[in-house]
Amino acid sequence: MKKRLLRNIEVSEIGMGCMGFSHGYGKTPEEGYAVKAIQAAYDFGCTLFDTAEGYGKEQFYPGHNEELVGKAVAPFRKNIVLATKFHIGLAEHQENMVLYDVIRSHLEKSMERLKTDYVDLYYLHRVNEQIPVEAVAEVMSLLIQEGVIRGWGLSQVAAETLRRANEVTPVAAVQNLYSMVERDCEQEIFPYCMEHQVGVVPFSPIASGLLSGKITAGAKFDGDDVRKFVPQLSGENLSGNQPILDVLRYFAEHKSATCAQISLAWMLHKYPNVVPIPGSKNQERILENLGGAAVSLTKGEFAELDTALNSCTVYGHRGTVESEQHTFSHNWLKKDR
């Protein structure tokens, strides 16, 4: 698989979102199956594996996914890029907290679960409105200098927040919702990231399965399956979005590919700094998604596809970013050496 850069971090063109092995998509597979699926992705050429400290909230426990991923990638840890995320919740926030100590504590626990002494890409999972993002950026600079992380990122943020953070400590990647049917990032995020050498790592690049063409009306999602709450997958919206799937099927047939692969090839062609991380708990689907990197579109094919998509109405737009406020300005960086 070809490589791309998230600022200075080299990764495969398509990465792997690992959340589904622990929660979010209904019944999870056995651990042995999950480990082999992650290792099969590596054998296929994937070098970016994405997890988070919070993945595992329903069937398991927070941190479960990091433990699973750490076990799976242990044989080839030095050959891949590990990305994980932390969040400082409202309950954890204290007025006299030392931000460096808090974030370092989160990181150390993640590294222990991942069985590693460094994290390649460390994301702020969600912005805490009580903590200025600039303060987080300053801590990230210290962690980079200390060699415990190689780069840092932000998830689900607006361009203005990204700008403020990037001006303090250069951001390697932004992980936002982006797909053929969720294109808010094209307005401000991609232009800023292209100008400032920031990678964009879309989660849900196949729109929670919508763009695979495999979800049909009446599909039932059980347990903690997040697809219950994806508006594009409701019966009425699924029918309304059928023209988009028709476009995908047309190109999939002519390119001897799948709909999911076409949707990934589309964004890879459109932006040189995009590295999607489709997630699945099914090994067959994982390898199919990674195969999207082998599907190339000519300029003419891309223009035809993009024009066809632009003529379609999207039903069930999700939106991406919450508003952010900043109310505290303490000496966040004081730390014990």
Side-chain angles (χ1 to χ4, degrees):
M1 198 183 299
K2 294 179 182 178
K3 300 294 193 294
R4 294 195 169 194
L5 288 176
L6 304 176
R7 191 169 290 277
N8 63 333
I9 301 174
E10 187 179 76
V11 296
S12 53
E13 283 191 309
I14 298 177
M16 180 179 176
C18 298
M19 181 187 77
F21 292 121
S22 296
H23 81 101
Y25 288 96
K27 184 178 179 181
T28 56
E30 295 293 329
E31 181 181 285
Y33 177 92
V35 167
K36 289 181 179 178
I38 293 171
Q39 293 175 343
Y42 171 74
D43 291 339
F44 194 91
C46 179
T47 63
L48 173 61
F49 296 87
D50 182 270
T51 181
E53 63 179 13
Y55 291 168
K57 292 180 179 177
E58 297 295 332
Q59 289 122 317
F60 300 104
Y61 45 86
H64 173 268
N65 200 247
E66 287 182 323
E67 291 183 358
L68 179 66
V69 172
K71 181 179 296 186
V73 305
F76 44 82
R77 166 66 185 100
K78 299 298 182 180
N79 301 331
I80 56 104
V81 169
L82 269 180
T84 193
K85 314 175 196 72
F86 76 97
H87 177 63
I88 301 172
L90 295 177
E92 186 179 4
H93 175 270
Q94 301 293 328
E95 187 168 349
N96 62 348
M97 66 189 285
V98 177
L99 188 59
Y100 172 89
D101 292 342
V102 173
I103 294 178
R104 180 75 191 226
S105 177
H106 279 263
L107 175 61
E108 288 177 352
K109 291 173 184 176
S110 287
M111 290 192 296
E112 181 178 358
R113 289 187 291 261
L114 288 164
K115 297 179 173 61
T116 186
D117 56 3
Y118 70 98
V119 167
D120 299 278
L121 182 54
Y122 199 39
Y123 288 101
L124 178 64
H125 205 163
R126 292 292 184 272
V127 171
N128 184 321
E129 296 178 349
Q130 296 178 303
I131 303 174
V133 72
E134 293 89 343
V136 176
E138 291 183 28
V139 173
M140 292 301 179
S141 177
L142 293 174
L143 296 177
I144 291 170
Q145 292 173 38
E146 293 165 7
V148 286
I149 66 173
R150 292 177 59 200
W152 81 291
L154 295 161
S155 180
Q156 284 294 72
V157 293
E160 175 59 18
T161 302
L162 169 60
R163 181 194 63 78
R164 297 199 337 262
N166 190 60
E167 288 179 354
V168 176
T169 303
V171 173
V174 173
Q175 186 174 137
N176 275 15
L177 179 67
Y178 179 67
S179 71
M180 284 180 166
V181 295
E182 294 290 349
R183 296 169 65 171
D184 291 356
C185 286
E186 294 181 358
Q187 298 172 21
E188 295 182 339
I189 287 290
F190 272 108
Y192 182 89
C193 289
M194 290 283 288
E195 181 180 355
H196 297 277
Q197 295 79 53
V198 180
V200 179
V201 179
F203 70 88
S204 198
I206 307 172
S208 299
L210 170 68
L211 300 176
S212 72
K214 294 182 172 69
I215 296 179
T216 58
K220 295 187 181 299
F221 305 113
D222 300 320
D224 71 342
D225 200 317
V226 297
R227 290 172 292 184
K228 290 187 293 189
F229 309 107
V230 175
Q232 291 145 357
L233 300 181
S234 69
E236 182 177 337
N237 288 335
L238 198 61
S239 176
N241 289 321
Q242 187 60 45
I244 298 171
L245 300 181
D246 293 340
V247 170
L248 278 173
R249 288 195 176 98
Y250 169 81
F251 278 88
E253 180 180 346
H254 283 75
K255 299 295 291 185
S256 298
T258 67
C259 292
Q261 290 173 340
I262 294 295
S263 72
L264 294 168
W266 167 82
M267 67 173 65
L268 290 174
H269 183 103
K270 190 164 191 173
Y271 295 109
N273 64 331
V274 70
V275 180
I277 50 167
S280 177
K281 59 183 182 181
N282 181 288
Q283 180 174 315
E284 183 180 353
R285 294 285 79 76
I286 291 167
L287 300 184
E288 174 191 333
N289 293 337
L290 294 174
V295 179
S296 60
L297 300 171
T298 66
K299 289 183 179 179
E301 289 169 338
F302 172 80
E304 183 182 358
L305 173 57
D306 209 38
T307 299
L309 290 172
N310 290 336
S311 70
C312 296
T313 299
V314 176
Y315 292 87
H317 181 252
R318 291 168 64 178
T320 57
V321 181
E322 297 181 10
S323 62
E324 298 154 4
Q325 299 174 359
H326 308 281
T327 56
F328 289 83
S329 57
H330 303 295
N331 182 16
W332 299 108
L333 296 178
K334 182 180 178 182
K335 60 187 177 69
D336 298 325
R337 287 291 188 179

